Amino acid sequence: MQLPEIWFVLIAVLWIGYFFLEGFDFGVGVLTRGLARDRQERRVLINTIGPVWDGNEVWLLSAAGATFAAFPDWYATLFSGFYLPLLLILLSLIVRGVAFEYRAKRPEENWQRNWERAIFWCSLIPAFLWGVVFANIVRGVPIGPDKEFVGNLFDLFGPHALLGGVLTLTLFTFHGAVFTALKTVGEIRLRARRAAAGLGLAALASAAAFLGWTQLERGDAASLLALLVAAGALVAALVANARGRE
């Protein structure tokens, strides 16, 4: 294995770690508007990720830094070509971090409700846009001879990319529901488990559509094996959730 391949594997591991850990953070943030029924339950959900959300974002810094260090041309093309979605992700992460820290600074209901809305939207937007970005990376985008993105907005937000966004949004929210069930007790845990059952089926359906499309268009034997492993893992997660084994 050559040095570029080693770096590529390392960067892949960093992105996997980020999505695995930050994924349930995003999911819990989205569930603050659907699963929680009042301010107390929203506080419970936020407290489940309170000790870990900022540490999980370190994986993103490491992945971006490794990409810049090992593949500067890839980094430059990615961050200039995908400027709009990456800017929206960055702004969302900034506002989300501020919302976590400032929500409890004042006791007024209106103050806390506004920051809770910020947590919801700034969790939903990155959860969707990360799927759009990586779907474009997998499928490919038009790049000119000077290594600059030469496509248009539709190239970035085409059907395949939007389906990728739906996949990551449903998958992260499913992950967040499972994590909520793991970290809570009582009625909210039961509701989280029921929500995870429906979200898991939605994630399975969107994964089947996205991965099947990608496999037919760009796949080979190795990607087919990865697809089957991913599908099996998702089915296993649904079975474990049905048995209450978060």
Side-chain angles (χ1 to χ4, degrees):
M1 183 179 289
Q2 301 297 316
L3 186 60
E5 295 168 326
I6 295 174
W7 270 107
F8 192 87
V9 171
L10 174 61
I11 290 169
V13 170
L14 290 172
W15 280 111
I16 290 170
Y18 173 68
F19 286 137
F20 181 77
L21 295 170
E22 187 81 325
F24 70 76
D25 283 355
F26 290 142
V28 172
V30 172
L31 290 172
T32 57
R33 303 302 297 178
L35 183 65
R37 294 178 176 175
D38 52 34
R39 291 175 63 195
Q40 181 178 353
E41 291 190 351
R42 283 192 289 274
R43 184 172 68 250
V44 168
L45 288 180
I46 294 170
N47 287 345
T48 63
I49 59 174
V52 297
W53 70 267
D54 50 352
N56 292 342
E57 290 189 353
V58 175
W59 287 80
L60 173 61
L61 301 177
S62 301
T67 304
F68 172 76
F71 304 105
D73 288 341
W74 177 21
Y75 179 92
T77 302
L78 174 66
F79 278 78
S80 60
F82 295 173
Y83 186 84
L84 176 60
L86 291 177
L87 177 63
L88 292 174
I89 289 172
L90 179 61
L91 291 175
S92 296
L93 293 179
I94 292 171
V95 174
R96 184 170 173 266
V98 173
F100 281 131
E101 297 296 335
Y102 275 66
R103 175 189 170 277
K105 294 296 184 182
R106 289 170 57 179
E108 291 88 346
E109 181 178 354
N110 188 56
W111 170 272
Q112 296 189 3
R113 185 169 57 247
N114 288 335
W115 285 120
E116 288 164 359
R117 288 179 181 142
I119 291 172
F120 168 76
W121 285 109
C122 293
S123 297
L124 186 149
I125 291 171
F128 176 77
L129 288 179
W130 276 129
V132 171
V133 169
F134 273 82
N136 278 311
I137 292 175
V138 170
R139 192 166 190 257
V141 293
I143 297 175
D146 56 353
K147 301 178 182 178
E148 292 288 337
F149 174 71
V150 295
N152 53 41
L153 195 62
F154 181 77
D155 292 318
L156 291 181
F157 292 92
H160 184 266
L162 294 176
L163 182 57
V166 171
L167 170 57
T168 53
L169 177 59
T170 55
L171 188 62
F172 291 167
T173 310
F174 167 58
H175 194 180
V178 173
F179 185 79
T180 300
L182 177 67
K183 291 293 186 179
T184 57
V185 295
E187 174 63 23
I188 194 169
R189 181 189 182 209
L190 296 177
R191 274 191 273 121
R193 190 186 298 165
R194 289 194 295 267
L199 289 165
L201 291 175
L204 186 62
S206 57
F210 177 79
L211 295 176
W213 185 348
T214 305
Q215 176 66 25
L216 289 174
E217 192 172 66
R218 303 268 179 174
D220 54 19
S223 64
L224 178 60
L225 178 60
L227 186 156
L228 295 175
V229 170
L234 189 50
V235 171
L238 282 166
V239 173
N241 176 73
R243 294 180 177 179
R245 299 295 298 273
E246 294 84 8

